[in-house]
Amino acid sequence: MSLSERIGQMREHFLRELSELATAKDLESLKLKYFGKKGPIQALMLELKSCSSDERPLLGKMINDLKEELFSHCEHSLARVKASEMEERLNREQIDPTLPGRRRFYGRSHPVSQLLDRAVDILIGMGFSVRLGPNADTDYYNFGGLNFAPDHPARDMQDTFYLNTEWLLRTHTSNVQVHAMEEIEPPIRVIAPGRCFRNETVSARSHVFFHQIEGFYIDRNVSFADLFATMEEFWSKLLGEKVTTRFRPSYFPFVEPGLEVDVRCTSCKGKGCRLCKQSGWLEVCGAGMIHPNVLKMGNIDPDVYSGYAWGMGIERLAILQHEIPDIRMFTQNDLRFLSQF
Ligand code: PHE
């Protein structure tokens, strides 16, 4: 077969192969096969050497024309194949508006924050304003200024995280009482929500950090009746029903008298159940009338002014409210637990 016949034949082969391929990838390999250094077109070029010198220019031109022609076929096919690939993809990826949507994950506030925020809202509604005390404070604000004797057991290293001999992590929010008395004049009607720290063994019932809200009111003629009324109103609003309260004598160095406040069990209404451990009552906070020594140290004259204070643990309340078996669940960040609130 002559060289010019073979050129014609190659064109036919190429066009047949081209018409059969379907993807851009196939086209790339076809190009490689024909136009590569070891491909058939290059082979024809090499054969030119053995042609006679008067045939060579014509045959050379034929091969070059073939090359250009095939190349432009490739370009056209590529455009066609790409268009059909795109069309196929668009058909395949059609959006189905009847499919159910993917559920979005919504975060929400932590159950402790939820309760804290609600209590703060209620108390703001009752005329209290928020003050935040420092988490790290001195011995004076946490103990001394609150009438703790120098040898009071709460000052023990076993109960308190000391940062050095003077500084510590506050064990209660009562430190804000001392700060507030220094900074503002009565009437003082303040709540102090925040974190507290105690050097205790972590267990189902106690943790090394937790939250409290402290509330106190100092003015002329503040009486026990004011504390009583405030407790009734606050606990009824927080628990969403009219509650009965009970005050039991207790001891805190910074109040006199000191009290433990109970509310009638919201679950059994006082009959006795697992929640109230059959007692019919839930312990909700410590409270009392601010000790004259504390007022004096805060430069407030106890002959003119008096005040009440109470302090409540938020985790403890949340545990009661939701019957949570273990305080550690609040800090484990398990979404199966947290997303229930
Ligand atoms: N600070 C006390 C505690 O942490 C609670 C309390 C506050 C008691 C105010 C009386 C008055 O247990």
Side-chain angles (χ1 to χ4, degrees), residues 28-40:
E28 280 309 313
S29 25
L30 184 75
K31 259 165 97 178
L32 262 176
K33 179 172 154 194
Y34 276 86
F35 299 102
K37 274 211 167 87
K38 292 189 174 135

Side-chain angles (χ1 to χ4, degrees), residues 265-282 323:
C265 180
T266 46
S267 176
C268 65
K269 311 285 173 239
K271 285 195 211 74
C273 67
R274 223 183 43 188
L275 184 64
C276 59
K277 300 203 203 84
Q278 309 307 326
S279 72
W281 296 92
L282 304 173
E323 298 191 41

